[in-house]
Amino acid sequence: MRKIYLTLVFCFFSISAFSDSKNIECAKKNSVNVDVNGMVCDFCARALEKVFSEKQEVAEIDVDLDNGKISINFNDGASLDDSLIQKLVTNSGYDVVKINRCERG
Amino acid sequence: MKPVILFVYIFIFSEADARPVSYPGGVTLMQMNDGYFSNLHLHYSPSIKYSVGLKIEKNRVEKWTFLGMQYNNLLKRINKKNSQANFYLKSAIGSTHSDEHPFSNHKVPAGFIGFATDWEDRRFFTSYENKYSYSSDIAKYFQQKVRFGIAPYIGDYGDLHTWVMFQIQHTPKLETEEINVTPLLRFFKDVYLVESGVSLDGEIILNAVVRF
């Protein structure tokens, strides 16, 4: 019984950890946080801002050079799928490490 | 020379050591002005892999001017979490004009080819580039330079960024010193980059980049 209990506890925390990597709490709903490699200067940030701002689905983009992250906030009911986000970042000259979808309210 | 004329002259004839390829759709105006050369390079990047543009290089000492089209190719980019490295091939084709003795309104086919690489994180910067330029009987030269830089502070996105840099330039065929050593200060804010320094031989370097 004890083994079953420990197994269930282990599974619970494993599933929780896995879920956190897919859907995380964000400052704003309907947004994604993207970990990006290669962002080292303002020109890099500006390039990503310009590329994403041209998309009608995007309401706002915040670039965090310190942590190598971009936060993309979408307009109501709009979004970009992961493959397109990856393509836009890659075409701008940078590498996507991870895309974190935010929990929707 | 009046200050306004000097500014216009520097703005028109120069090139800088920022990256020769921008993001897709990006337009970049690069300029450099040192004791020997003044350059202008205006390029457009259809993709992250390459850029095409106009190149004007004026040798103020030997009094010749190169005018041509330049093609820059990003051979390889290595992105890491906190750093980036790039490898470029740069080439240009056009013509060089000289009206200086022994030439009289003399124009020849000309071009250059060069390799450039850089590595930087938000604190340190290093780069190397070389260039072989050929202008038939008017001029031929090889030039290479290496740079090291350090940012005394790390600013946030949108802040004024400052770099302290050190450049060593080697130009075997020119009349000036073969090796020029120049400490530089680089200032970078928004889409504007300006850098300036005075070499140990007293030559002034003034570079600027604007990215649209």
Side-chain angles (χ1 to χ4, degrees):
Chain A
M1 185 65 192
R2 188 180 175 189
K3 284 183 180 177
I4 294 172
Y5 175 74
L6 288 174
T7 303
L8 287 173
V9 169
F10 176 78
C11 289
F12 174 79
F13 282 108
S14 299
I15 291 168
S16 297
F18 179 77
S19 297
D20 284 348
S21 68
K22 293 290 186 185
N23 293 299
I24 62 169
E25 287 288 349
C26 301
K28 294 183 179 178
K29 302 298 182 186
N30 195 18
S31 63
V32 296
N33 289 336
V34 187
D35 293 348
V36 178
N37 275 357
M39 290 198 306
V40 292
C41 68
D42 280 24
F43 274 160
C44 313
R46 194 161 294 277
L48 289 165
E49 269 191 352
K50 186 163 184 173
V51 167
F52 278 96
S53 297
E54 289 172 354
K55 292 292 171 189
Q56 290 181 338
E57 294 87 346
V58 175
E60 184 183 24
I61 173 170
D62 294 317
V63 180
D64 180 356
L65 289 178
D66 289 335
N67 297 300
K69 292 179 186 294
I70 59 174
S71 299
I72 308 164
N73 301 316
F74 298 109
N75 290 313
D76 289 343
S79 185
L80 297 176
D81 61 38
D82 288 4
S83 61
L84 182 55
I85 291 171
Q86 174 128 15
K87 183 181 176 185
L88 291 173
V89 172
T90 303
N91 287 350
S92 300
Y94 309 98
D95 294 338
V96 170
V97 178
K98 190 167 64 174
I99 299 174
N100 299 304
R101 289 277 164 186
C102 301
E103 289 182 346
R104 293 168 188 262
Chain B
M1 189 180 289
K2 292 180 180 178
V4 174
I5 297 174
L6 178 63
F7 175 80
V8 171
Y9 179 82
I10 290 169
F11 189 77
I12 290 176
F13 294 106
S14 28
E15 173 193 20
D17 285 13
R19 298 196 180 108
V21 179
S22 181
Y23 53 84
V27 175
T28 306
L29 178 66
M30 310 167 75
Q31 54 172 341
M32 185 178 86
N33 211 60
D34 62 21
Y36 221 83
F37 290 101
S38 296
N39 286 276
L40 169 77
H41 183 32
L42 177 67
H43 68 72
Y44 169 72
S45 298
S47 88
I48 190 63
K49 289 293 183 184
Y50 70 98
S51 70
V52 291
L54 172 75
K55 174 77 171 189
I56 302 173
E57 181 175 83
K58 184 178 178 68
N59 185 315
R60 300 191 311 279
V61 176
E62 297 177 356
K63 294 186 170 55
W64 53 258
T65 302
F66 169 82
L67 172 64
M69 299 297 295
Q70 182 166 339
Y71 174 77
N72 305 311
N73 185 212
L74 174 62
L75 300 172
K76 176 75 175 172
R77 170 171 289 177
I78 301 171
N79 289 316
K80 299 292 184 185
K81 180 170 175 54
N82 297 309
S83 68
Q84 183 184 112
N86 298 286
F87 302 87
Y88 297 100
L89 185 66
K90 300 194 281 189
S91 58
I93 189 164
S95 64
T96 295
H97 174 265
S98 177
D99 206 12
E100 185 73 4
H101 180 76
F103 304 112
S104 175
N105 197 23
H106 187 51
K107 184 183 276 189
V108 296
F112 67 77
I113 190 164
F115 170 79
T117 182
D118 61 65
W119 175 93
E120 70 177 294
D121 62 11
R122 300 187 69 201
R123 175 70 71 183
F124 299 102
F125 172 91
T126 184
S127 69
Y128 167 82
E129 66 177 303
N130 63 33
K131 173 182 173 183
Y132 176 71
S133 182
Y134 177 84
S135 297
S136 187
D137 53 346
I138 294 179
K140 304 178 190 68
Y141 73 91
F142 173 78
Q143 186 179 69
Q144 58 184 346
K145 56 188 171 187
V146 61
R147 275 192 178 197
F148 306 97
I150 183 168
Y153 63 91
I154 296 177
D156 291 331
Y157 176 39
D159 288 349
L160 173 67
H161 301 273
T162 304
W163 287 85
V164 179
M165 292 188 153
F166 194 70
Q167 174 179 295
I168 303 170
Q169 180 173 299
H170 177 227
T171 316
K173 292 272 185 175
L174 293 181
E175 293 171 0
T176 54
E177 294 291 327
E178 283 195 0
I179 295 179
N180 277 338
V181 178
T182 309
L184 293 153
L185 274 179
R186 170 183 282 188
F187 300 102
F188 179 23
K189 182 172 174 56
D190 296 329
V191 295
Y192 305 101
L193 184 156
V194 176
E195 59 186 18
S196 187
V198 180
S199 76
L200 301 185
D201 301 319
E203 293 178 354
I204 296 173
I205 287 179
L206 180 58
N207 301 331
V209 177
V210 184
R211 183 160 288 180
F212 306 99

